[in-house]
């Protein structure tokens, strides 16, 4: 029995919880950090402390993020996202936990997704807590910065880009329309803690699963790996589909090193075929 055949049997049993990472979105044009399409980042990702305390860092971030949103916002779900949504519709996938902030699971038809690190399509006010759509915020930034353009040298998976700092001169940041407060994307920065309710919900999903299926994550950071550790500890089967090495190897009963855009449609086909009465 091949690894794909075995995985199809596990998924066909139902009770699957998906834990997805950046590797699931690379075929939608969003790079990852550590997989085959990733590259070492030239600068440290924005921290919450720098964003809130340093006006220059905040202006630099918003300029880069404003340009990056044009790529992230235009990204479309790929065959992998659609396969996961179809498996959910077939009642084989009971829950989806994602480390991604691109919203592509939902765009691909999935529902009830736990977004561990938030979603770039939302903007939150740190003063009054008001949420606004990213499209509305982008329109305000366009109006405040007519003609702003810069040469993009790299697109980063967390939604910003690398540009020459000289291009930042004069870029204007806008505040909350309700209270004038500081705005940030509704995502978890380095130095922030994932909201406890999301973590609790994720652990609950894992506790009720037969299989934890990791898709496109190297599990380098503990934010995602902790769910794999808990699953293995509690006797939940762990399967990993990822291109390249992961830190989940010691916990996984089944590992497939292959492109998700190839594996997931094949997996879906096998599960659908097995479900047809004979």
């Amino acid at each position: 029995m091949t690894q794909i055949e075995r995985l199809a049997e596990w998924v066909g049993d139902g009770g699957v919880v998906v834990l997805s990472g950046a590797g699931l979105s690379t075929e939608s044009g969003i790079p990852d950090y550590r997989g085959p399409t990733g590259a070492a980042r030239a600068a440290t990702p924005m921290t919450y402390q720098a964003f809130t305390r340093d006006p220059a860092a905040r202006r630099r971030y918003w300029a880069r993020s404003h340009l990056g949103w044009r790529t992230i916002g235009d990204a479309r779900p790929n065959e992998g996202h659609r396969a996961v949504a179809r498996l959910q519709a077939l009642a084989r996938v009971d829950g989806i936990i994602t480390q991604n902030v691109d919203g592509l699971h939902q765009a691909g038809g999935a529902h009830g997704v736990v977004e561990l690190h938030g979603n770039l399509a939302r903007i939150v006010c740190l003063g009054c807590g008001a949420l606004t759509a990213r499209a509305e915020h982008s329109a305000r930034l366009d109006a405040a910065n007519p003609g702003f353009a810069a040469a993009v040298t790299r697109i980063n998976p967390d939604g910003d880009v690398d540009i020459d700092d000289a291009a930042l001169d004069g870029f204007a940041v806008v505040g909350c329309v309700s209270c004038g407060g500081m705005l940030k994307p509704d995502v978890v920065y380095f130095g922030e803690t994932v909201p406890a309710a999301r973590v609790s919900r994720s652990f609950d999903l894992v506790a009720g699963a037969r299989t934890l299926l990791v898709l496109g994550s190297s599990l380098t950071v503990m934010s995602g790996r902790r769910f794999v550790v808990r699953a293995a500890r509690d006797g939940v089967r762990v399967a990993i589909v990822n291109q390249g090495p992961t830190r989940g190897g010691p916990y996984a009963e089944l590992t497939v090193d292959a492109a998700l855009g190839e594996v997931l449609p094949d997996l879906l086909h096998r599960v659908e075929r097995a479900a047809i009465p004979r």
Side-chain angles (χ1 to χ4, degrees), residues 9-18 87-88 90-96 204-213 236-238:
E9 284 198 352
W10 285 14
V11 174
D13 287 343
V16 176
V17 169
V18 167
L87 289 169
Q88 186 181 43
L90 291 171
R92 300 304 190 274
V93 167
D94 290 344
I96 301 168
D204 287 345
L205 286 171
V206 172
R210 289 194 186 95
T211 301
L212 178 62
L213 176 57
V236 176
R237 298 179 299 200
V238 175

Side-chain angles (χ1 to χ4, degrees), residues 3-276:
Q3 294 292 77
I4 297 297
E5 288 172 335
R6 189 179 178 203
L7 181 58
E9 284 198 352
W10 285 14
V11 174
D13 287 343
V16 176
V17 169
V18 167
L19 171 64
S20 67
L24 185 60
S25 294
T26 56
E27 291 171 59
S28 293
I30 302 174
D32 60 4
Y33 283 129
R34 303 173 183 91
T37 68
R41 186 176 175 137
T44 301
M46 177 59 65
T47 66
Y48 182 78
Q49 291 76 15
F51 184 89
T52 54
R53 298 173 185 172
D54 185 347
R58 188 162 57 252
R59 180 169 65 94
R60 185 166 58 249
Y61 173 83
W62 270 121
R64 291 173 169 173
S65 182
H66 185 48
L67 293 176
W69 176 247
R70 296 172 185 174
T71 294
I72 304 296
D74 287 342
R76 295 295 177 263
N78 59 51
E79 290 300 314
H81 296 109
R82 286 189 282 269
V84 170
R86 176 60 179 158
L87 289 169
Q88 186 181 43
L90 291 171
R92 300 304 190 274
V93 167
D94 290 344
I96 301 168
I97 307 164
T98 187
Q99 300 173 86
N100 299 337
V101 293
D102 51 39
L104 291 180
H105 273 299
Q106 295 93 317
H111 58 85
V113 180
V114 180
E115 297 177 306
L116 280 177
H117 300 151
N119 193 314
L120 284 168
R122 297 187 300 265
I123 304 297
V124 63
C125 175
L126 299 182
C128 68
L131 291 173
T132 57
R134 183 63 179 257
E136 177 184 334
H137 184 71
S138 291
R140 293 183 64 212
L141 285 177
D142 282 337
N145 298 279
F148 172 71
V152 174
T153 58
R154 187 198 305 270
I155 299 171
N156 297 313
D158 51 4
D160 67 353
V161 297
D162 292 344
I163 59 176
D164 188 333
D165 280 356
L168 301 174
D169 290 345
F171 186 84
V173 175
V174 299
C176 176
V177 294
S178 298
C179 73
M182 186 185 303
L183 299 175
K184 72 180 281 287
D186 191 20
V187 298
V188 177
Y189 284 172
F190 282 75
E192 279 190 281
T193 301
V194 177
R198 296 180 200 168
V199 176
S200 177
R201 173 59 179 155
S202 298
F203 276 126
D204 287 345
L205 286 171
V206 172
R210 289 194 186 95
T211 301
L212 178 62
L213 176 57
V214 180
L215 301 176
S217 176
S218 65
L219 300 172
T220 299
V221 296
M222 200 60 190
S223 175
R225 193 167 73 252
R226 56 184 159 181
F227 303 115
V228 174
V229 174
R230 175 69 64 85
R233 188 198 74 181
D234 293 347
V236 176
R237 298 179 299 200
V238 175
I240 300 175
V241 184
N242 186 66
Q243 278 194 286
T246 81
R247 294 188 65 184
Y251 311 100
E253 296 180 50
L254 193 161
T255 301
V256 179
D257 187 340
L260 288 159
E262 298 173 5
V263 171
L264 290 176
D266 182 23
L267 174 65
L268 172 61
H269 175 69
R270 291 172 184 271
V271 171
E272 288 180 320
R273 188 174 58 188
I276 297 173

